[in-house]
PDB file of all heavy atoms in Angstrom:
ATOM      1  N   PHE A  19       0.832  -1.188   0.000  1.00 37.00           N
ATOM      2  CA  PHE A  19       0.000   0.000   0.000  1.00 37.00           C
ATOM      3  C   PHE A  19       0.878   1.254   0.000  1.00 37.00           C
ATOM      4  O   PHE A  19       0.627   2.217  -0.701  1.00 37.00           O
ATOM      5  CB  PHE A  19      -0.912   0.029   1.235  1.00 37.00           C
ATOM      6  CG  PHE A  19      -2.015  -0.982   1.171  1.00 37.00           C
ATOM      7  CD1 PHE A  19      -2.668  -1.387   2.329  1.00 37.00           C
ATOM      8  CD2 PHE A  19      -2.396  -1.542  -0.039  1.00 37.00           C
ATOM      9  CE1 PHE A  19      -3.676  -2.319   2.269  1.00 37.00           C
ATOM     10  CE2 PHE A  19      -3.416  -2.473  -0.095  1.00 37.00           C
ATOM     11  CZ  PHE A  19      -4.043  -2.856   1.055  1.00 37.00           C
ATOM     12  N   SER A  20       1.959   1.212   0.812  1.00 37.00           N
ATOM     13  CA  SER A  20       2.859   2.351   0.872  1.00 37.00           C
ATOM     14  C   SER A  20       3.561   2.554  -0.458  1.00 37.00           C
ATOM     15  O   SER A  20       3.711   3.672  -0.943  1.00 37.00           O
ATOM     16  CB  SER A  20       3.882   2.127   1.991  1.00 37.00           C
ATOM     17  OG  SER A  20       4.814   3.178   2.020  1.00 37.00           O
ATOM     18  N   SER A  21       3.971   1.449  -1.084  1.00 37.00           N
ATOM     19  CA  SER A  21       4.669   1.538  -2.364  1.00 37.00           C
ATOM     20  C   SER A  21       3.778   2.135  -3.431  1.00 37.00           C
ATOM     21  O   SER A  21       4.198   2.979  -4.223  1.00 37.00           O
ATOM     22  CB  SER A  21       5.155   0.151  -2.799  1.00 37.00           C
ATOM     23  OG  SER A  21       6.067  -0.370  -1.870  1.00 37.00           O
ATOM     24  N   ILE A  22       2.540   1.675  -3.474  1.00 37.00           N
ATOM     25  CA  ILE A  22       1.613   2.181  -4.483  1.00 37.00           C
ATOM     26  C   ILE A  22       1.370   3.666  -4.277  1.00 37.00           C
ATOM     27  O   ILE A  22       1.300   4.444  -5.222  1.00 37.00           O
ATOM     28  CB  ILE A  22       0.295   1.397  -4.421  1.00 37.00           C
ATOM     29  CG1 ILE A  22       0.540  -0.026  -4.918  1.00 37.00           C
ATOM     30  CG2 ILE A  22      -0.789   2.062  -5.264  1.00 37.00           C
ATOM     31  CD1 ILE A  22      -0.657  -0.934  -4.742  1.00 37.00           C
ATOM     32  N   HIS A  23       1.253   4.041  -3.004  1.00 41.00           N
ATOM     33  CA  HIS A  23       0.977   5.450  -2.716  1.00 41.00           C
ATOM     34  C   HIS A  23       2.168   6.330  -3.084  1.00 41.00           C
ATOM     35  O   HIS A  23       2.025   7.402  -3.658  1.00 41.00           O
ATOM     36  CB  HIS A  23       0.640   5.608  -1.220  1.00 41.00           C
ATOM     37  CG  HIS A  23       0.304   7.010  -0.849  1.00 41.00           C
ATOM     38  ND1 HIS A  23       1.258   7.897  -0.410  1.00 41.00           N
ATOM     39  CD2 HIS A  23      -0.874   7.674  -0.875  1.00 41.00           C
ATOM     40  CE1 HIS A  23       0.689   9.063  -0.171  1.00 41.00           C
ATOM     41  NE2 HIS A  23      -0.609   8.955  -0.431  1.00 41.00           N
ATOM     42  N   ASP A  24       3.402   5.834  -2.756  1.00 43.00           N
ATOM     43  CA  ASP A  24       4.585   6.657  -2.944  1.00 43.00           C
ATOM     44  C   ASP A  24       5.177   6.548  -4.344  1.00 43.00           C
ATOM     45  O   ASP A  24       5.809   7.477  -4.840  1.00 43.00           O
ATOM     46  CB  ASP A  24       5.657   6.271  -1.917  1.00 43.00           C
ATOM     47  CG  ASP A  24       5.187   6.553  -0.497  1.00 43.00           C
ATOM     48  OD1 ASP A  24       4.340   7.459  -0.335  1.00 43.00           O
ATOM     49  OD2 ASP A  24       5.662   5.867   0.416  1.00 43.00           O
ATOM     50  N   ASN A  25       4.996   5.382  -4.977  1.00 48.00           N
ATOM     51  CA  ASN A  25       5.653   5.157  -6.260  1.00 48.00           C
ATOM     52  C   ASN A  25       4.779   4.297  -7.143  1.00 48.00           C
ATOM     53  O   ASN A  25       4.973   3.085  -7.237  1.00 48.00           O
ATOM     54  CB  ASN A  25       7.008   4.482  -6.035  1.00 48.00           C
ATOM     55  CG  ASN A  25       7.840   4.467  -7.308  1.00 48.00           C
ATOM     56  OD1 ASN A  25       7.314   4.687  -8.399  1.00 48.00           O
ATOM     57  ND2 ASN A  25       9.128   4.185  -7.171  1.00 48.00           N
ATOM     58  N   PRO A  26       3.772   4.887  -7.804  1.00 46.00           N
ATOM     59  CA  PRO A  26       2.851   4.102  -8.625  1.00 46.00           C
ATOM     60  C   PRO A  26       3.543   3.392  -9.773  1.00 46.00           C
ATOM     61  O   PRO A  26       3.106   2.327 -10.209  1.00 46.00           O
ATOM     62  CB  PRO A  26       1.846   5.147  -9.116  1.00 46.00           C
ATOM     63  CG  PRO A  26       2.532   6.471  -8.945  1.00 46.00           C
ATOM     64  CD  PRO A  26       3.438   6.322  -7.784  1.00 46.00           C
ATOM     65  N   VAL A  27       4.629   3.962 -10.320  1.00 42.00           N
ATOM     66  CA  VAL A  27       5.344   3.304 -11.418  1.00 42.00           C
ATOM     67  C   VAL A  27       5.948   1.993 -10.940  1.00 42.00           C
ATOM     68  O   VAL A  27       5.881   0.958 -11.610  1.00 42.00           O
ATOM     69  CB  VAL A  27       6.432   4.234 -11.984  1.00 42.00           C
ATOM     70  CG1 VAL A  27       7.278   3.498 -13.019  1.00 42.00           C
ATOM     71  CG2 VAL A  27       5.800   5.479 -12.585  1.00 42.00           C
ATOM     72  N   HIS A  28       6.563   2.039  -9.737  1.00 45.00           N
ATOM     73  CA  HIS A  28       7.141   0.831  -9.163  1.00 45.00           C
ATOM     74  C   HIS A  28       6.065  -0.235  -8.942  1.00 45.00           C
ATOM     75  O   HIS A  28       6.280  -1.423  -9.215  1.00 45.00           O
ATOM     76  CB  HIS A  28       7.822   1.165  -7.840  1.00 45.00           C
ATOM     77  CG  HIS A  28       8.379  -0.033  -7.126  1.00 45.00           C
ATOM     78  ND1 HIS A  28       9.376  -0.821  -7.639  1.00 45.00           N
ATOM     79  CD2 HIS A  28       8.046  -0.574  -5.922  1.00 45.00           C
ATOM     80  CE1 HIS A  28       9.655  -1.798  -6.794  1.00 45.00           C
ATOM     81  NE2 HIS A  28       8.849  -1.674  -5.751  1.00 45.00           N
ATOM     82  N   ALA A  29       4.901   0.205  -8.450  1.00 44.00           N
ATOM     83  CA  ALA A  29       3.815  -0.745  -8.219  1.00 44.00           C
ATOM     84  C   ALA A  29       3.378  -1.389  -9.519  1.00 44.00           C
ATOM     85  O   ALA A  29       3.102  -2.590  -9.571  1.00 44.00           O
ATOM     86  CB  ALA A  29       2.633  -0.009  -7.565  1.00 44.00           C
ATOM     87  N   GLN A  30       3.316  -0.585 -10.578  1.00 48.00           N
ATOM     88  CA  GLN A  30       2.910  -1.129 -11.869  1.00 48.00           C
ATOM     89  C   GLN A  30       3.917  -2.175 -12.362  1.00 48.00           C
ATOM     90  O   GLN A  30       3.557  -3.219 -12.886  1.00 48.00           O
ATOM     91  CB  GLN A  30       2.768   0.001 -12.882  1.00 48.00           C
ATOM     92  CG  GLN A  30       2.239  -0.461 -14.242  1.00 48.00           C
ATOM     93  CD  GLN A  30       2.057   0.712 -15.184  1.00 48.00           C
ATOM     94  OE1 GLN A  30       2.420   1.839 -14.866  1.00 48.00           O
ATOM     95  NE2 GLN A  30       1.507   0.443 -16.344  1.00 48.00           N
ATOM     96  N   ARG A  31       5.216  -1.887 -12.165  1.00 45.00           N
ATOM     97  CA  ARG A  31       6.236  -2.847 -12.572  1.00 45.00           C
ATOM     98  C   ARG A  31       6.130  -4.146 -11.787  1.00 45.00           C
ATOM     99  O   ARG A  31       6.311  -5.237 -12.327  1.00 45.00           O
ATOM    100  CB  ARG A  31       7.620  -2.235 -12.370  1.00 45.00           C
ATOM    101  CG  ARG A  31       7.963  -1.152 -13.396  1.00 45.00           C
ATOM    102  CD  ARG A  31       9.272  -0.489 -13.055  1.00 45.00           C
ATOM    103  NE  ARG A  31       9.597   0.545 -14.025  1.00 45.00           N
ATOM    104  CZ  ARG A  31      10.575   1.424 -13.845  1.00 45.00           C
ATOM    105  NH1 ARG A  31      11.324   1.407 -12.740  1.00 45.00           N
ATOM    106  NH2 ARG A  31      10.819   2.341 -14.791  1.00 45.00           N
ATOM    107  N   MET A  32       5.826  -3.999 -10.479  1.00 44.00           N
ATOM    108  CA  MET A  32       5.668  -5.195  -9.650  1.00 44.00           C
ATOM    109  C   MET A  32       4.547  -6.074 -10.179  1.00 44.00           C
ATOM    110  O   MET A  32       4.662  -7.299 -10.243  1.00 44.00           O
ATOM    111  CB  MET A  32       5.367  -4.802  -8.197  1.00 44.00           C
ATOM    112  CG  MET A  32       6.550  -4.250  -7.419  1.00 44.00           C
ATOM    113  SD  MET A  32       6.051  -3.790  -5.758  1.00 44.00           S
ATOM    114  CE  MET A  32       5.536  -5.366  -5.113  1.00 44.00           C
ATOM    115  N   GLN A  33       3.437  -5.438 -10.567  1.00 49.00           N
ATOM    116  CA  GLN A  33       2.317  -6.194 -11.094  1.00 49.00           C
ATOM    117  C   GLN A  33       2.702  -6.900 -12.389  1.00 49.00           C
ATOM    118  O   GLN A  33       2.327  -8.045 -12.636  1.00 49.00           O
ATOM    119  CB  GLN A  33       1.137  -5.260 -11.329  1.00 49.00           C
ATOM    120  CG  GLN A  33       0.535  -4.707 -10.033  1.00 49.00           C
ATOM    121  CD  GLN A  33      -0.549  -3.680 -10.299  1.00 49.00           C
ATOM    122  OE1 GLN A  33      -0.721  -3.219 -11.420  1.00 49.00           O
ATOM    123  NE2 GLN A  33      -1.269  -3.299  -9.260  1.00 49.00           N
ATOM    124  N   GLN A  34       3.473  -6.196 -13.223  1.00 52.00           N
ATOM    125  CA  GLN A  34       3.864  -6.782 -14.499  1.00 52.00           C
ATOM    126  C   GLN A  34       4.840  -7.938 -14.297  1.00 52.00           C
ATOM    127  O   GLN A  34       4.804  -8.938 -15.012  1.00 52.00           O
ATOM    128  CB  GLN A  34       4.508  -5.702 -15.380  1.00 52.00           C
ATOM    129  CG  GLN A  34       3.530  -4.631 -15.837  1.00 52.00           C
ATOM    130  CD  GLN A  34       4.221  -3.481 -16.537  1.00 52.00           C
ATOM    131  OE1 GLN A  34       5.455  -3.375 -16.506  1.00 52.00           O
ATOM    132  NE2 GLN A  34       3.442  -2.611 -17.169  1.00 52.00           N
ATOM    133  N   GLN A  35       5.737  -7.809 -13.306  1.00 52.00           N
ATOM    134  CA  GLN A  35       6.746  -8.821 -13.093  1.00 52.00           C
ATOM    135  C   GLN A  35       6.211 -10.030 -12.335  1.00 52.00           C
ATOM    136  O   GLN A  35       6.761 -11.116 -12.455  1.00 52.00           O
ATOM    137  CB  GLN A  35       7.916  -8.208 -12.316  1.00 52.00           C
ATOM    138  CG  GLN A  35       8.673  -7.143 -13.105  1.00 52.00           C
ATOM    139  CD  GLN A  35       9.683  -6.404 -12.242  1.00 52.00           C
ATOM    140  OE1 GLN A  35       9.851  -6.727 -11.066  1.00 52.00           O
ATOM    141  NE2 GLN A  35      10.340  -5.420 -12.833  1.00 52.00           N
ATOM    142  N   ALA A  36       5.185  -9.824 -11.524  1.00 61.00           N
ATOM    143  CA  ALA A  36       4.689 -10.920 -10.697  1.00 61.00           C
ATOM    144  C   ALA A  36       3.195 -11.094 -10.900  1.00 61.00           C
ATOM    145  O   ALA A  36       2.396 -10.673 -10.075  1.00 61.00           O
ATOM    146  CB  ALA A  36       5.000 -10.649  -9.227  1.00 61.00           C
ATOM    147  N   PRO A  37       2.802 -11.692 -12.019  1.00 65.00           N
ATOM    148  CA  PRO A  37       1.376 -11.896 -12.253  1.00 65.00           C
ATOM    149  C   PRO A  37       0.784 -12.812 -11.192  1.00 65.00           C
ATOM    150  O   PRO A  37       1.442 -13.735 -10.701  1.00 65.00           O
ATOM    151  CB  PRO A  37       1.348 -12.554 -13.640  1.00 65.00           C
ATOM    152  CG  PRO A  37       2.694 -13.166 -13.798  1.00 65.00           C
ATOM    153  CD  PRO A  37       3.645 -12.255 -13.092  1.00 65.00           C
ATOM    154  N   LYS A  38      -0.451 -12.518 -10.845  1.00 69.00           N
ATOM    155  CA  LYS A  38      -1.120 -13.274  -9.795  1.00 69.00           C
ATOM    156  C   LYS A  38      -1.395 -14.702 -10.261  1.00 69.00           C
ATOM    157  O   LYS A  38      -1.955 -14.909 -11.340  1.00 69.00           O
ATOM    158  CB  LYS A  38      -2.435 -12.583  -9.425  1.00 69.00           C
ATOM    159  CG  LYS A  38      -3.146 -13.227  -8.251  1.00 69.00           C
ATOM    160  CD  LYS A  38      -4.335 -12.403  -7.813  1.00 69.00           C
ATOM    161  CE  LYS A  38      -5.431 -12.386  -8.853  1.00 69.00           C
ATOM    162  NZ  LYS A  38      -6.636 -11.698  -8.358  1.00 69.00           N
ATOM    163  N   PRO A  39      -0.987 -15.701  -9.490  1.00 78.00           N
ATOM    164  CA  PRO A  39      -1.276 -17.084  -9.887  1.00 78.00           C
ATOM    165  C   PRO A  39      -2.782 -17.346  -9.895  1.00 78.00           C
ATOM    166  O   PRO A  39      -3.530 -16.769  -9.104  1.00 78.00           O
ATOM    167  CB  PRO A  39      -0.575 -17.911  -8.807  1.00 78.00           C
ATOM    168  CG  PRO A  39      -0.450 -16.990  -7.629  1.00 78.00           C
ATOM    169  CD  PRO A  39      -0.263 -15.616  -8.209  1.00 78.00           C
ATOM    170  N   VAL A  40      -3.196 -18.213 -10.771  1.00 82.00           N
ATOM    171  CA  VAL A  40      -4.612 -18.531 -10.895  1.00 82.00           C
ATOM    172  C   VAL A  40      -4.965 -19.668  -9.947  1.00 82.00           C
ATOM    173  O   VAL A  40      -4.314 -20.713  -9.939  1.00 82.00           O
ATOM    174  CB  VAL A  40      -4.953 -18.915 -12.351  1.00 82.00           C
ATOM    175  CG1 VAL A  40      -6.424 -19.312 -12.452  1.00 82.00           C
ATOM    176  CG2 VAL A  40      -4.635 -17.766 -13.292  1.00 82.00           C
ATOM    177  N   ASP A  41      -5.993 -19.439  -9.131  1.00 95.00           N
ATOM    178  CA  ASP A  41      -6.478 -20.459  -8.199  1.00 95.00           C
ATOM    179  C   ASP A  41      -7.528 -21.288  -8.934  1.00 95.00           C
ATOM    180  O   ASP A  41      -8.565 -20.752  -9.348  1.00 95.00           O
ATOM    181  CB  ASP A  41      -7.075 -19.783  -6.969  1.00 95.00           C
ATOM    182  CG  ASP A  41      -7.490 -20.767  -5.888  1.00 95.00           C
ATOM    183  OD1 ASP A  41      -7.904 -21.890  -6.240  1.00 95.00           O
ATOM    184  OD2 ASP A  41      -7.422 -20.406  -4.701  1.00 95.00           O
ATOM    185  N   PRO A  42      -7.305 -22.592  -9.094  1.00 97.00           N
ATOM    186  CA  PRO A  42      -8.268 -23.406  -9.847  1.00 97.00           C
ATOM    187  C   PRO A  42      -9.658 -23.449  -9.214  1.00 97.00           C
ATOM    188  O   PRO A  42     -10.662 -23.567  -9.923  1.00 97.00           O
ATOM    189  CB  PRO A  42      -7.618 -24.794  -9.866  1.00 97.00           C
ATOM    190  CG  PRO A  42      -6.617 -24.776  -8.753  1.00 97.00           C
ATOM    191  CD  PRO A  42      -6.140 -23.372  -8.645  1.00 97.00           C
ATOM    192  N   VAL A  43      -9.739 -23.331  -7.882  1.00 98.00           N
ATOM    193  CA  VAL A  43     -11.047 -23.320  -7.227  1.00 98.00           C
ATOM    194  C   VAL A  43     -11.800 -22.049  -7.598  1.00 98.00           C
ATOM    195  O   VAL A  43     -13.004 -22.086  -7.884  1.00 98.00           O
ATOM    196  CB  VAL A  43     -10.904 -23.447  -5.699  1.00 98.00           C
ATOM    197  CG1 VAL A  43     -12.266 -23.298  -5.019  1.00 98.00           C
ATOM    198  CG2 VAL A  43     -10.275 -24.779  -5.326  1.00 98.00           C
ATOM    199  N   VAL A  44     -11.091 -20.927  -7.611  1.00 98.00           N
ATOM    200  CA  VAL A  44     -11.723 -19.672  -8.010  1.00 98.00           C
ATOM    201  C   VAL A  44     -12.190 -19.755  -9.456  1.00 98.00           C
ATOM    202  O   VAL A  44     -13.289 -19.292  -9.799  1.00 98.00           O
ATOM    203  CB  VAL A  44     -10.758 -18.487  -7.808  1.00 98.00           C
ATOM    204  CG1 VAL A  44     -11.350 -17.206  -8.382  1.00 98.00           C
ATOM    205  CG2 VAL A  44     -10.433 -18.302  -6.328  1.00 98.00           C
ATOM    206  N   GLU A  45     -11.376 -20.344 -10.308  1.00 98.00           N
ATOM    207  CA  GLU A  45     -11.781 -20.509 -11.713  1.00 98.00           C
ATOM    208  C   GLU A  45     -13.071 -21.305 -11.824  1.00 98.00           C
ATOM    209  O   GLU A  45     -13.965 -20.967 -12.600  1.00 98.00           O
ATOM    210  CB  GLU A  45     -10.666 -21.217 -12.503  1.00 98.00           C
ATOM    211  CG  GLU A  45      -9.502 -20.323 -12.868  1.00 98.00           C
ATOM    212  CD  GLU A  45      -8.560 -20.996 -13.842  1.00 98.00           C
ATOM    213  OE1 GLU A  45      -8.324 -22.213 -13.683  1.00 98.00           O
ATOM    214  OE2 GLU A  45      -8.073 -20.323 -14.759  1.00 98.00           O
ATOM    215  N   ARG A  46     -13.184 -22.360 -11.026  1.00 98.00           N
ATOM    216  CA  ARG A  46     -14.391 -23.201 -11.075  1.00 98.00           C
ATOM    217  C   ARG A  46     -15.599 -22.457 -10.506  1.00 98.00           C
ATOM    218  O   ARG A  46     -16.722 -22.626 -10.987  1.00 98.00           O
ATOM    219  CB  ARG A  46     -14.156 -24.517 -10.332  1.00 98.00           C
ATOM    220  CG  ARG A  46     -13.136 -25.434 -11.011  1.00 98.00           C
ATOM    221  CD  ARG A  46     -13.263 -26.867 -10.541  1.00 98.00           C
ATOM    222  NE  ARG A  46     -12.987 -27.029  -9.127  1.00 98.00           N
ATOM    223  CZ  ARG A  46     -11.786 -27.229  -8.602  1.00 98.00           C
ATOM    224  NH1 ARG A  46     -10.720 -27.276  -9.404  1.00 98.00           N
ATOM    225  NH2 ARG A  46     -11.613 -27.376  -7.303  1.00 98.00           N
ATOM    226  N   ILE A  47     -15.360 -21.633  -9.475  1.00 98.00           N
ATOM    227  CA  ILE A  47     -16.452 -20.818  -8.916  1.00 98.00           C
ATOM    228  C   ILE A  47     -17.002 -19.893  -9.984  1.00 98.00           C
ATOM    229  O   ILE A  47     -18.220 -19.792 -10.195  1.00 98.00           O
ATOM    230  CB  ILE A  47     -15.955 -20.017  -7.695  1.00 98.00           C
ATOM    231  CG1 ILE A  47     -15.785 -20.935  -6.488  1.00 98.00           C
ATOM    232  CG2 ILE A  47     -16.933 -18.884  -7.364  1.00 98.00           C
ATOM    233  CD1 ILE A  47     -15.142 -20.261  -5.283  1.00 98.00           C
ATOM    234  N   VAL A  48     -16.110 -19.198 -10.681  1.00 98.00           N
ATOM    235  CA  VAL A  48     -16.533 -18.253 -11.717  1.00 98.00           C
ATOM    236  C   VAL A  48     -17.276 -18.988 -12.828  1.00 98.00           C
ATOM    237  O   VAL A  48     -18.332 -18.532 -13.300  1.00 98.00           O
ATOM    238  CB  VAL A  48     -15.313 -17.498 -12.277  1.00 98.00           C
ATOM    239  CG1 VAL A  48     -15.726 -16.643 -13.474  1.00 98.00           C
ATOM    240  CG2 VAL A  48     -14.679 -16.630 -11.195  1.00 98.00           C
ATOM    241  N   LYS A  49     -16.751 -20.116 -13.236  1.00 98.00           N
ATOM    242  CA  LYS A  49     -17.366 -20.894 -14.321  1.00 98.00           C
ATOM    243  C   LYS A  49     -18.759 -21.365 -13.932  1.00 98.00           C
ATOM    244  O   LYS A  49     -19.720 -21.228 -14.691  1.00 98.00           O
ATOM    245  CB  LYS A  49     -16.474 -22.091 -14.657  1.00 98.00           C
ATOM    246  CG  LYS A  49     -17.004 -22.991 -15.776  1.00 98.00           C
ATOM    247  CD  LYS A  49     -16.031 -24.133 -16.033  1.00 98.00           C
ATOM    248  CE  LYS A  49     -16.578 -25.121 -17.049  1.00 98.00           C
ATOM    249  NZ  LYS A  49     -16.699 -24.533 -18.388  1.00 98.00           N
ATOM    250  N   GLU A  50     -18.889 -21.926 -12.732  1.00 98.00           N
ATOM    251  CA  GLU A  50     -20.189 -22.425 -12.271  1.00 98.00           C
ATOM    252  C   GLU A  50     -21.196 -21.286 -12.126  1.00 98.00           C
ATOM    253  O   GLU A  50     -22.361 -21.409 -12.544  1.00 98.00           O
ATOM    254  CB  GLU A  50     -20.028 -23.148 -10.936  1.00 98.00           C
ATOM    255  CG  GLU A  50     -21.329 -23.664 -10.322  1.00 98.00           C
ATOM    256  CD  GLU A  50     -22.002 -24.737 -11.159  1.00 98.00           C
ATOM    257  OE1 GLU A  50     -21.306 -25.467 -11.889  1.00 98.00           O
ATOM    258  OE2 GLU A  50     -23.254 -24.851 -11.075  1.00 98.00           O
ATOM    259  N   ALA A  51     -20.757 -20.162 -11.561  1.00 98.00           N
ATOM    260  CA  ALA A  51     -21.659 -19.030 -11.353  1.00 98.00           C
ATOM    261  C   ALA A  51     -22.144 -18.451 -12.672  1.00 98.00           C
ATOM    262  O   ALA A  51     -23.315 -18.063 -12.801  1.00 98.00           O
ATOM    263  CB  ALA A  51     -20.967 -17.947 -10.530  1.00 98.00           C
ATOM    264  N   LYS A  52     -21.268 -18.393 -13.661  1.00 98.00           N
ATOM    265  CA  LYS A  52     -21.630 -17.780 -14.933  1.00 98.00           C
ATOM    266  C   LYS A  52     -22.404 -18.727 -15.856  1.00 98.00           C
ATOM    267  O   LYS A  52     -23.323 -18.289 -16.561  1.00 98.00           O
ATOM    268  CB  LYS A  52     -20.367 -17.285 -15.646  1.00 98.00           C
ATOM    269  CG  LYS A  52     -19.744 -16.055 -15.013  1.00 98.00           C
ATOM    270  CD  LYS A  52     -18.568 -15.537 -15.837  1.00 98.00           C
ATOM    271  CE  LYS A  52     -18.022 -14.235 -15.273  1.00 98.00           C
ATOM    272  NZ  LYS A  52     -16.880 -13.716 -16.081  1.00 98.00           N
ATOM    273  N   GLU A  53     -22.038 -19.994 -15.853  1.00 98.00           N
ATOM    274  CA  GLU A  53     -22.618 -20.906 -16.836  1.00 98.00           C
ATOM    275  C   GLU A  53     -23.870 -21.617 -16.357  1.00 98.00           C
ATOM    276  O   GLU A  53     -24.680 -22.063 -17.177  1.00 98.00           O
ATOM    277  CB  GLU A  53     -21.564 -21.939 -17.262  1.00 98.00           C
ATOM    278  CG  GLU A  53     -20.377 -21.318 -17.997  1.00 98.00           C
ATOM    279  CD  GLU A  53     -19.383 -22.360 -18.480  1.00 98.00           C
ATOM    280  OE1 GLU A  53     -19.635 -23.576 -18.281  1.00 98.00           O
ATOM    281  OE2 GLU A  53     -18.354 -21.962 -19.058  1.00 98.00           O
ATOM    282  N   ASN A  54     -24.050 -21.737 -15.046  1.00 98.00           N
ATOM    283  CA  ASN A  54     -25.190 -22.503 -14.526  1.00 98.00           C
ATOM    284  C   ASN A  54     -26.021 -21.712 -13.520  1.00 98.00           C
ATOM    285  O   ASN A  54     -26.648 -22.293 -12.632  1.00 98.00           O
ATOM    286  CB  ASN A  54     -24.687 -23.801 -13.880  1.00 98.00           C
ATOM    287  CG  ASN A  54     -23.960 -24.684 -14.865  1.00 98.00           C
ATOM    288  OD1 ASN A  54     -24.467 -24.996 -15.937  1.00 98.00           O
ATOM    289  ND2 ASN A  54     -22.745 -25.100 -14.510  1.00 98.00           N
ATOM    290  N   SER A  55     -26.034 -20.399 -13.662  1.00 98.00           N
ATOM    291  CA  SER A  55     -26.711 -19.550 -12.691  1.00 98.00           C
ATOM    292  C   SER A  55     -28.194 -19.893 -12.553  1.00 98.00           C
ATOM    293  O   SER A  55     -28.893 -20.115 -13.540  1.00 98.00           O
ATOM    294  CB  SER A  55     -26.576 -18.081 -13.099  1.00 98.00           C
ATOM    295  OG  SER A  55     -27.330 -17.256 -12.228  1.00 98.00           O
ATOM    296  N   GLU A  56     -28.657 -19.906 -11.303  1.00 98.00           N
ATOM    297  CA  GLU A  56     -30.085 -20.082 -11.023  1.00 98.00           C
ATOM    298  C   GLU A  56     -30.698 -18.805 -10.451  1.00 98.00           C
ATOM    299  O   GLU A  56     -31.804 -18.833  -9.916  1.00 98.00           O
ATOM    300  CB  GLU A  56     -30.302 -21.259 -10.060  1.00 98.00           C
ATOM    301  CG  GLU A  56     -29.992 -22.614 -10.680  1.00 98.00           C
ATOM    302  CD  GLU A  56     -30.558 -23.779  -9.878  1.00 98.00           C
ATOM    303  OE1 GLU A  56     -31.494 -23.568  -9.069  1.00 98.00           O
ATOM    304  OE2 GLU A  56     -30.062 -24.904 -10.070  1.00 98.00           O
ATOM    305  N   LEU A  57     -29.991 -17.691 -10.571  1.00 98.00           N
ATOM    306  CA  LEU A  57     -30.481 -16.447  -9.982  1.00 98.00           C
ATOM    307  C   LEU A  57     -31.865 -16.059 -10.489  1.00 98.00           C
ATOM    308  O   LEU A  57     -32.744 -15.671  -9.701  1.00 98.00           O
ATOM    309  CB  LEU A  57     -29.492 -15.316 -10.258  1.00 98.00           C
ATOM    310  CG  LEU A  57     -28.229 -15.288  -9.388  1.00 98.00           C
ATOM    311  CD1 LEU A  57     -27.243 -14.258  -9.921  1.00 98.00           C
ATOM    312  CD2 LEU A  57     -28.581 -14.985  -7.934  1.00 98.00           C
ATOM    313  N   GLU A  58     -32.078 -16.133 -11.791  1.00 98.00           N
ATOM    314  CA  GLU A  58     -33.371 -15.713 -12.333  1.00 98.00           C
ATOM    315  C   GLU A  58     -34.488 -16.651 -11.897  1.00 98.00           C
ATOM    316  O   GLU A  58     -35.599 -16.204 -11.608  1.00 98.00           O
ATOM    317  CB  GLU A  58     -33.288 -15.622 -13.856  1.00 98.00           C
ATOM    318  CG  GLU A  58     -32.394 -14.499 -14.334  1.00 98.00           C
ATOM    319  CD  GLU A  58     -32.492 -14.256 -15.827  1.00 98.00           C
ATOM    320  OE1 GLU A  58     -33.532 -14.601 -16.419  1.00 98.00           O
ATOM    321  OE2 GLU A  58     -31.526 -13.725 -16.411  1.00 98.00           O
TER     322      GLU A  58
END
């Protein structure tokens, strides 16, 4: 939070250098929610 506030360019580089790993459970949550929704 401090880095982003003080040095947004550095924060952007960090994001580019360290992409967030994909959680397979989260992927399945998104897929199930979008493809089989019973909301309506």
Side-chain angles (χ1 to χ4, degrees):
F19 288 160
S20 177
S21 298
I22 290 173
H23 182 269
D24 296 333
N25 191 344
V27 174
H28 176 63
Q30 184 177 6
R31 287 174 180 169
M32 286 178 62
Q33 292 175 349
Q34 292 172 349
Q35 294 171 3
K38 185 172 67 174
V40 177
D41 185 327
V43 175
V44 173
E45 283 190 321
R46 293 199 297 273
I47 286 173
V48 173
K49 180 179 175 67
E50 177 64 28
K52 288 185 175 181
E53 295 183 2
N54 299 308
S55 175
E56 291 196 20
L57 283 171
E58 292 190 24

